Amino acid sequence: MWPVDHRSGLYTEFEAFVAGAAGRLLRVAVLLTAEAETEAVAARRLLAGALARTYANWRRLRGDDPYDHTRQELCAAFARTGRRHHGGVGVLAGLSPAERLVLVLRIYEGVAEEVTAAQLGLPPERVRVLCGRAVNALRSRPAGRTVTGPGTAGTTGAADAAGTAGTAGTAGTAGTAGAA
């Protein structure tokens, strides 16, 4: 249980944030770990850590986008442990951890290339290469998997999911003000 700060209402604010954003953040974590959504043990562990770090910084985050901060924490945790998450069953399972991370940020979340590069500590050219490689890998897969999420809702098949690359600047920007 989170420590309750009744004097400032921080807990109530954080609780409201989690109620509104946890589902979408869990989907990001599931895509990163390439786990089955019904299990998602590692994804839930990554998200719990990211939310704990966000809560620890909640007072300092006033005025900033807590979704963006939590997503950055989630992605940083995945980057540190990405090698543990090879394989999997999700649509992104065949991609390397770095490719998954870049693809989720750029395509699913709609984060700008320069912002993605800065958040990951990579040159923009490397982000572009990783994203292109991931999109090409998805396009070369046989169709048949359903992909849902901002920018991909209702599309079927890995090739269709990869086809959303042209919408990366507009897809999934809700809740990411300042990130795109």
Side-chain angles (χ1 to χ4, degrees):
M1 179 102 193
W2 298 101
V4 179
D5 185 348
H6 294 288
R7 292 170 290 146
S8 65
L10 291 179
Y11 177 74
T12 305
E13 291 173 14
F14 180 75
E15 194 174 50
F17 162 69
V18 171
R24 184 162 168 211
L25 287 165
L26 180 59
R27 180 69 178 143
V28 169
V30 166
L31 287 170
L32 291 172
T33 61
E35 293 178 290
E37 287 191 54
T38 55
E39 296 170 17
V41 174
R44 290 177 194 280
R45 189 177 310 121
L46 283 172
L47 179 56
L51 287 169
R53 288 184 295 281
T54 298
Y55 184 72
N57 293 310
W58 193 255
R59 190 178 312 266
R60 185 182 58 82
L61 288 174
R62 292 244 162 133
D64 290 341
D65 184 358
Y67 181 88
D68 187 46
H69 177 79
T70 307
R71 185 187 60 222
Q72 287 178 30
E73 291 285 349
L74 178 65
C75 290
F78 177 77
R80 288 189 301 271
T81 64
R83 294 282 178 223
R84 295 183 204 161
H85 307 289
H86 63 291
V89 296
V91 69
L92 306 182
L95 303 177
S96 74
E99 290 169 339
R100 272 189 249 156
L101 188 55
V102 168
L103 192 73
V104 167
L105 285 173
R106 291 283 297 124
I107 306 299
Y108 184 77
E109 285 290 298
V111 178
E113 186 175 277
E114 297 78 20
V115 175
T116 299
Q119 288 178 355
L120 300 178
L122 298 172
E125 298 79 25
R126 180 70 179 146
V127 168
R128 192 174 310 115
V129 167
L130 286 168
C131 191
R133 187 184 312 152
V135 167
N136 287 335
L138 291 177
R139 283 184 176 151
S140 67
R141 287 188 189 165
R145 294 189 187 191
T146 301
V147 180
T148 59
T152 60
T155 64
T156 57
D160 291 336
T164 63
T167 63
T170 59
T173 56
T176 57

